[in-house]
């Protein structure tokens, strides 16, 4: 495979060799990956045929020419991520949302139970291509779990995770530790860990895998590409994505934009980003006509993975949202958890962060921004089982709208019959 | 689709119409499903071609003619279960086990994170075919989670779960509750719940979905069929399965036996069942030349899902094990958890119950029962994230062989460098 990709600064436009191990432009802003797809000399129909012919390959390899064409196949470290379910809403969910053609793209059905695996198959494979021995990130949650798993499976690469000591739960610790990652608890907060991991990776040949790394964004493009392929290339009218650091909506947007520019699809979906009301700087910008980012203090929210007041990928997200005639919505704690509970009682187990997107879709439909008859895909980012305490807290409080409390009764058949309203 | 299946008692041989809503023979023993595949008039090559042509369908439908041919397609309620990863062991794992061609079939990568989804797509779809309004089970774990999800998605069927009050954790509660199941906590133990759910389903048109239900076994056959398909019909020398109630090894055996009898494969794998030493009546029977079941008191074990002293499907399991020249092994707590830890540090997150199978495979290789050069598939039954406390308990005790403790240090670059043995 020839190198047909490069880094470009999203701010000053300066370009860098894709094989430079850098994570930021000299000017300080983010880099993005630019591919010269024209070198592949492929017509739209040929792209689709290529994907069809590669259905037996793992998603990352199937779509690799569109995701990260400059990565050699033999450098790929995969855990069989992707090919996640695209659930068609049942009638009850369709009515609840007021959307007839409604789908859930469930990225929680990945190996480490979140969409981060999509970015890490790209990121850790790229590290493997570089031949580095170490990868590192500062993360308390899904990012460290995903990085740790891919590094572990590679058996060549050591994972290093920096965590704020005493500020994370045992559940957050369990994944990176079990995957054998070197887990450093620092006596500081998350920003302190982030600062040190940046210094560490700038000074040593350690590959940084936090979300500022543009290679991870390329991997996450697969979510949108695969979704539209699953819809048999029928582009939905809307794609709704939860937004924290804004990397995922940037990735999904970039992938679909590239498909559109290559003529693989001939229609643009509209993008909707949804934030928790507790941390909604992108929403604030949207309501002011895409004004510059004003970082906020992120308040506590059930959607803890997107409790971020200063999103790294803000500018990338705004660009994609504008390109796709997008909107931004926000949802409060009650809206998030009620919507989560209603979706789950239809058999789809989603995390609180994913529920932010679902709650936003409902609001956008109620405001008639999503119009009657339009088709909608809601992107779910992680599995509910990573957050089982949120479930219990909701369902054991009978004042919650969709609370489903256990019923405690005497152990007799007649008591059970009575409770179930059965004829005795 | 014509009805080409019937129930037959595994003990007295009495036959029943497959459309009878029964769960046991009049003689009290288990029923199994018998299919008259000759009615499908299909040659071995035609079966394989059928599966290839249906690669775009969900696994249950792709293999349905072999799994449950009498079920009409339009009655199927699926959550996109199956097509789970078949991980090739990396070199480090290969060396650890002393097995070059080693695979892990990861059934924890199903929608509710366990292999029970394979049985429930069959069981709940069959309930849907019957047109019943309610399904029920007594279960504290994966079974209730899976039943609840499929019933919820169907939106026609109510799930009813009977649980022993005060004896289950919030995590075990969280899945059935979130899926909207009617969850009854009875002031009794598990056996008491089981007794009442049997009476309830005998008296009312409520479909019983505990593991004595033979339709669930048919669904679980897909695990073995799909695994061998993923190996491009190259049958492995060994398939290693954890054993509690003995339903899963019976199912995997039945499916492969049927494939063999139909000529779809021309080699029999050997089967190995592995039990926790704390609950090993099948192992005891094996060591006495397959003597009759002597129920034991199951002691506490980290492999809580298979802490079963009186396995329902004992006789089915023995039949398949004998057919496949099988063996039974056992593993103690330390062997289970050390093996779990070693597999996980290679990026594969498995539950403690799955680790029983892995530990057993290691012992069988060390005893040279699994021979040098033989190929082995270990079946993993659930995802580690359902059991994150087991991970933390192991890794925070430095006396454990593969413990990976977090390292707490001061928040400076030089401290991090020193800890990582990097040049400062």
């Amino acid at each position: 495979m020839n190198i047909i990709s490069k880094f470009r600064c999203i701010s000053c436009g300066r370009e860098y060799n894709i094989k430079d191990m850098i994570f930021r432009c000299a000017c300080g802003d983010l880099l993005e990956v630019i591919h010269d797809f024209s070198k592949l000399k492929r017509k739209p129909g040929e792209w689709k045929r290529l994907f069809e012919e590669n259905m037996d390959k793992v998603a990352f390899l199937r779509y690799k020419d569109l995701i990260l064409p400059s990565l050699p196949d033999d450098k790929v470290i995969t855990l069989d991520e992707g090919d996640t379910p695209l659930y068609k809403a049942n009638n009850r969910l369709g009515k609840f949302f007021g959307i007839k053609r409604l789908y859930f793209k469930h990225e929680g059905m990945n190996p480490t139970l979140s969409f981060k695996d999509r970015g890490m198959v790209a990121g850790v494979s790229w590290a493997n291509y570089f031949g580095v021995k170490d990868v590192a990130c500062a993360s308390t949650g899904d990012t460290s779990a995903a990085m740790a798993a891919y590094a572990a499976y590679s058996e060549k690469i050591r994972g290093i995770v920096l965590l704020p000591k005493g500020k994370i739960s045992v559940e957050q610790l369990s994944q990176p530790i079990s995957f054998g990652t070197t887990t450093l608890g620092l006596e500081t907060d998350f920003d302190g860990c982030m600062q040190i991991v940046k210094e560490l990776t700038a000074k040593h040949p350690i590959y940084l895998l936090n979300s500022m790394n543009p290679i991870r964004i390329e991997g996450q493009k697969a979510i949108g590409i695969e979704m539209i392929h699953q819809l048999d290339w029928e582009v939905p009218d809307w794609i709704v994505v939860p937004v924290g650091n804004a990397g995922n909506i940037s990735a999904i947007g970039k992938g679909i934009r590239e498909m559109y520019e290559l003529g693989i699809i001939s229609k643009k979906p509209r993008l909707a980003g949804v934030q928790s009301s507790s941390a909604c700087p992108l929403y604030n910008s949207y309501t002011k006509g895409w004004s510059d980012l004003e970082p906020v203090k992120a308040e506590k929210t059930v959607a803890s993975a997107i409790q971020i007041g200063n999103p790294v990928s803000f500018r990338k997200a705004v660009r994609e949202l504008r390109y796709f005639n997008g909107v931004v919505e926000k949802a409060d704690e009650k809206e998030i958890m009620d919507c989560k509970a209603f979706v789950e009682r239809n058999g789809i187990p989603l995390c609180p962060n994913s529920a932010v997107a679902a709650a936003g879709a409902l609001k956008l439909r109620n405001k008639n921004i999503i119009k009657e008859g339009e088709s909608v895909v809601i992107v779910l980012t992680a599995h509910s089982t990573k957050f089982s305490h949120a479930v219990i807290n909701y369902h054991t409080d009978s004042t919650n709208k969709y609370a489903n409390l256990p019923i405690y009764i005497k152990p007799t058949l007649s008591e059970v019959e009575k409770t179930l309203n059965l004829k005795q």
Side-chain angles (χ1 to χ4, degrees), chain A:
Chain A
M1 176 61 66
N2 292 320
I3 298 291
I4 61 167
S5 315
K6 60 191 172 189
F7 289 129
R8 190 165 67 196
C9 174
I10 63 164
S11 183
C12 74
R14 184 168 162 182
E15 296 187 348
Y16 297 84
N17 191 317
I18 188 88
K19 296 200 71 177
D20 287 350
M21 209 167 90
I22 52 169
F23 308 102
R24 288 261 187 193
C25 180
C27 82
D29 213 334
L30 289 188
L31 299 170
E32 65 176 331
V33 181
I34 304 291
H35 309 288
D36 184 359
F37 293 114
S38 70
K39 293 225 171 91
L40 299 177
K41 295 186 172 59
R42 215 173 264 146
K43 293 183 188 137
E46 290 171 333
W47 280 100
K48 287 186 193 171
R49 201 155 50 240
L50 175 79
F51 300 148
E52 288 303 326
E53 283 166 5
N54 285 306
M55 279 311 292
D56 59 333
K57 288 190 182 166
V58 72
F60 180 71
L61 280 168
R62 182 187 317 137
Y63 304 117
K64 207 200 65 172
D65 273 8
L66 203 50
I67 297 175
L68 200 51
S70 302
L71 175 69
D73 280 13
D74 64 355
K75 297 299 179 189
V76 173
I77 291 159
T78 170
L79 284 169
D80 212 356
E81 62 293 317
D83 282 321
T84 57
L86 181 72
Y87 289 126
K88 176 94 174 76
N90 61 18
N91 290 326
R92 195 164 50 194
L93 280 168
K95 272 185 202 154
F96 177 79
F97 282 92
I99 301 171
K100 272 183 198 146
R101 288 179 298 152
L102 174 65
Y103 300 86
F104 298 90
K105 178 65 176 160
H106 206 323
E107 290 296 308
M109 307 293 183
N110 271 304
T112 75
L113 309 186
S114 90
F115 75 104
K116 300 284 185 180
D117 293 340
R118 300 277 200 168
M120 286 302 170
V121 61
V124 176
S125 296
W126 198 254
N128 186 37
Y129 180 38
F130 276 145
V132 297
K133 292 201 178 68
D134 299 289
V135 294
C137 70
S139 158
T140 59
D142 296 334
T143 300
S144 62
M147 187 193 80
Y150 285 81
Y153 188 66
S154 82
E155 67 188 317
K156 297 176 238 175
I157 297 171
R158 172 171 63 166
I160 301 163
V161 173
L162 274 64
L163 300 170
K165 182 184 171 186
K167 283 178 189 148
I168 60 160
S169 69
V170 290
E171 276 147 335
Q172 288 173 314
L173 252 184
S174 81
Q175 282 190 301
I177 281 197
S178 71
F179 293 134
T181 298
T182 300
T183 306
L184 305 179
L186 306 190
E187 291 157 354
T188 177
D189 59 8
F190 179 78
D191 291 337
C193 292
M194 195 63 231
Q195 186 52 41
I196 290 177
V197 83
K198 280 199 253 181
E199 291 169 22
L200 181 73
T201 54
K203 186 172 166 189
H204 299 278
I206 297 174
Y207 193 61
L208 178 66
L209 279 170
N210 275 96
S211 71
M212 71 181 66
N213 183 325
I215 299 290
R216 271 187 46 200
I217 298 284
E218 297 308 294
Q220 287 169 216
K221 291 190 314 193
I223 299 168
I225 300 166
E226 180 182 292
M227 166 205 303
I228 292 175
H229 190 178
Q230 286 172 314
L231 290 168
D232 213 8
W233 308 111
E234 283 275 335
V235 178
D237 296 309
W238 288 91
I239 298 172
V240 187
V241 186
V243 175
N245 237 336
N248 205 27
I249 196 166
S250 305
I252 293 171
K254 183 173 191 281
I256 296 176
R257 175 162 54 81
E258 288 167 342
M259 281 206 287
Y260 183 77
E261 288 166 357
L262 286 166
I264 301 171
I265 53 174
S266 52
K267 170 187 155 180
K268 287 184 195 175
R270 292 185 73 185
L271 276 188
V274 191
Q275 299 205 284
S276 161
S277 302
S278 307
C280 57
L282 184 67
Y283 173 82
N284 295 340
S285 162
Y286 168 71
T287 57
K288 294 177 199 162
W290 302 116
S291 62
D292 287 344
L293 172 63
E294 289 174 42
V296 300
K297 182 173 160 19
E299 305 293 335
K300 200 170 155 54
T301 164
V302 284
S304 56
I306 57 174
Q307 185 184 332
I308 293 165
N310 188 10
V312 167
S313 298
F314 173 84
R315 290 188 53 196
K316 289 184 178 178
V318 169
R319 189 182 54 184
E320 302 304 343
L321 280 158
R322 297 182 81 149
Y323 184 83
F324 288 104
N325 190 18
V327 301
V328 184
E329 185 52 90
K330 64 177 180 178
D332 66 27
E333 300 294 285
K334 195 173 147 44
E335 290 167 334
I336 296 166
M337 287 307 290
D338 283 345
C339 197
K340 177 179 189 302
F342 194 89
V343 174
E344 284 185 335
R345 65 159 61 182
N346 289 282
I348 299 171
L350 70 166
C351 76
N353 315 298
S354 311
V356 172
L362 179 63
K363 291 175 81 171
L364 290 168
R365 178 68 193 98
N366 287 340
K367 291 175 181 176
N368 210 31
I369 293 169
I370 294 176
K371 297 276 190 305
E372 170 107 49
E374 289 186 320
S375 61
V376 178
V377 180
I378 300 172
V379 176
L380 309 179
T381 48
H383 198 284
S384 71
T385 299
K386 281 200 176 189
F387 301 84
S388 58
H389 286 284
V391 169
I392 295 297
N393 291 343
Y394 184 89
H395 287 291
T396 51
D397 178 351
S398 62
T399 66
N400 283 322
K401 192 164 179 183
Y402 302 111
N404 179 33
L405 282 77
I407 304 160
Y408 295 107
I409 55 173
K410 291 221 160 59
T412 65
L413 179 60
S414 67
E415 278 293 307
V416 171
E417 288 173 324
K418 210 163 68 185
T419 311
L420 297 173
N421 294 317
L422 298 170
K423 206 175 153 188
Q424 295 190 34

